[in-house]
């Protein structure tokens, strides 16, 4: 009994000492590395939103020509021998919508300040001899356009664009003063609504996250229409259309998100290690 008991105790001690050694030799469960996360993803921002604009400009206009009826009799037409329009300023505003990052539309209303007109006509004076008269007048206009633009892209905060507009103009001629050896005669000026269109190109620059400086060029065409009425054997008169070349600068302010603001990053969380059983 004594020998058996001693053997059992000794066996238990030996097994207890051997267990840690055996456990140390067992392999640990492998760690399965999760896939490495992709680089932070920046979602395409929604740049749609309303904006308002204000513009100042300087323009140089040209006339395609000017005609008038002689002696008040339809069918007998005279032509201005010369005609010239001076420069003028414009001021305007509008409201628009940024449809996508690359396309926007707006409606603009511009006032064209008074532009002087100088011309000359030739004919016969009261003596029956040929004579030349000098003619002076001026016009102003309201230009209403619906416009569409393509923003080509943005580099270092600068966005070049091209655009086109269509609409109408209310063109108002002041009285035409006709001077010749017979005296001075005043022909009442006329006003009318006419078809108009425009072509634009320029670039905008981000001043803040919502405000942009807009600098560009605009070509505008206004159809011909009545110019002045009948007076002392001459008139009425008609201009055959006005072209305008304009340099403009203004500000645009967009409500909501603008492409001037950096897109918010979408952060991907670091994955936790996964252990197999």
């Amino acid at each position: 009994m004594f020998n058996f008991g001693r053997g059992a105790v000794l066996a238990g001690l030996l097994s207890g000492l051997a267990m840690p050694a055996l456990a140390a030799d067992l392999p640990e469960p492998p760690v399965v590395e999760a896939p490495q996360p992709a680089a932070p993803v920046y979602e395409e921002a929604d740049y749609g939103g309303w904006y308002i604009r204000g513009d100042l400009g300087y323009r140089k206009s040209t006339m395609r020509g000017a005609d008038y009826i002689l002696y008040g009799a339809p069918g007998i037409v005279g032509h201005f021998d010369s005609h010239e329009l001076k420069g003028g300023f414009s001021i305007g505003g509008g409201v628009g919508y940024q449809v996508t990052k690359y396309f926007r539309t707006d409606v603009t209303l511009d006032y064209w300040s008074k532009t002087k007109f100088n011309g000359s006509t030739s004919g016969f004076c009261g003596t029956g001899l040929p004579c030349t008269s000098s003619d002076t007048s001026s016009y102003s206009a309201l230009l209403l356009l619906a416009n569409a633009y393509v923003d080509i892209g943005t580099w270092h905060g600068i966005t070049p664009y091209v655009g086109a507009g269509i609409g109408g103009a209310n063109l108002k001629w002041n009285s035409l003063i006709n001077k010749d050896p017979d005296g001075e005669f005043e022909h009442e000026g006329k006003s009318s609504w006419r078809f108009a269109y425009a072509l634009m190109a320029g670039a905008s620059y981000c001043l803040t996250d919502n405000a942009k400086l807009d600098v560009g060029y605009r070509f505008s065409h206004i159809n011909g229409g009545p110019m002045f009425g009948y007076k002392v054997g001459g008139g009425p008169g008609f201009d055959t259309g006005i072209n305008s070349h304009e340099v403009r600068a203004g500000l645009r302010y967009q409500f909501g998100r603008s492409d001037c603001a950096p897109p918010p990053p979408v952060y991907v969380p670091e994955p936790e290690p996964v252990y197999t059983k």
Side-chain angles (χ1 to χ4, degrees):
M1 290 294 293
F2 177 75
N3 291 337
F4 176 77
R6 289 178 58 189
V9 172
L10 182 60
L13 292 174
L14 291 174
S15 62
L17 293 173
M19 286 300 293
L22 292 173
D25 294 336
L26 292 175
E28 294 183 359
V31 177
V32 178
E33 295 289 342
Q36 292 296 321
V41 178
Y42 294 84
E43 293 182 341
E44 183 69 20
D46 181 10
Y47 293 107
W50 294 96
Y51 66 85
I52 56 176
R53 65 180 302 159
D55 300 279
L56 294 172
Y58 178 80
R59 70 187 193 285
K60 184 66 174 69
S61 300
T62 59
M63 287 181 62
R64 299 174 60 186
D67 303 326
Y68 58 95
I69 305 299
L70 287 171
Y71 310 114
I76 304 178
V77 179
H79 307 281
F80 279 78
D81 297 329
S82 65
H83 46 80
E84 179 187 17
L85 292 174
K86 302 294 184 181
F89 292 92
S90 66
I91 182 171
V95 59
Y97 191 82
Q98 187 82 37
V99 182
T100 69
K101 185 176 181 180
Y102 302 102
F103 180 73
R104 57 188 168 89
T105 63
D106 61 30
V107 176
T108 55
L109 178 65
D110 292 88
Y111 171 72
W112 289 6
S113 67
K114 187 178 295 185
T115 301
K116 292 182 178 181
F117 166 84
N118 292 317
S120 64
T121 55
S122 58
F124 295 91
C125 293
T127 59
L129 298 176
C131 64
T132 299
S133 64
S134 63
D135 304 276
T136 58
S137 184
S138 63
Y139 80 86
S140 57
L142 285 175
L143 181 65
L144 179 64
L145 294 173
N147 310 290
Y149 310 87
V150 175
D151 293 325
I152 299 171
T154 302
W155 296 271
H156 305 290
I158 300 175
T159 304
Y161 65 83
V162 293
I166 188 171
N170 183 271
L171 194 143
K172 180 182 184 302
W173 282 100
N174 292 319
S175 295
L176 181 133
I177 306 301
N178 174 263
K179 295 181 180 180
D180 61 26
D182 289 336
E184 179 177 304
F185 307 93
E186 180 176 345
H187 300 258
E188 180 185 5
K190 299 294 183 179
S191 64
S192 61
W193 277 99
R194 312 176 183 190
F195 173 77
Y197 68 84
L199 302 173
M200 293 83 76
S204 63
Y205 177 74
C206 294
L207 298 176
T208 69
D209 286 353
N210 296 92
K212 294 181 179 182
L213 172 67
D214 191 321
V215 178
Y217 162 80
R218 180 170 72 180
F219 168 80
S220 304
H221 171 76
I222 301 175
N223 275 8
M227 184 177 178
F228 57 87
Y230 170 81
K231 182 72 172 181
V232 190
F238 307 86
D239 67 79
T240 55
I242 294 176
N243 294 329
S244 177
H245 303 272
E246 186 178 8
V247 178
R248 292 155 52 87
L251 292 174
R252 300 203 317 261
Y253 183 89
Q254 182 166 328
F255 301 95
R257 181 162 188 80
S258 166
D259 59 350
C260 289
V266 178
Y267 295 103
V268 178
E270 188 74 22
E272 295 292 334
V274 178
Y275 296 91
T276 58
K277 294 183 178 181

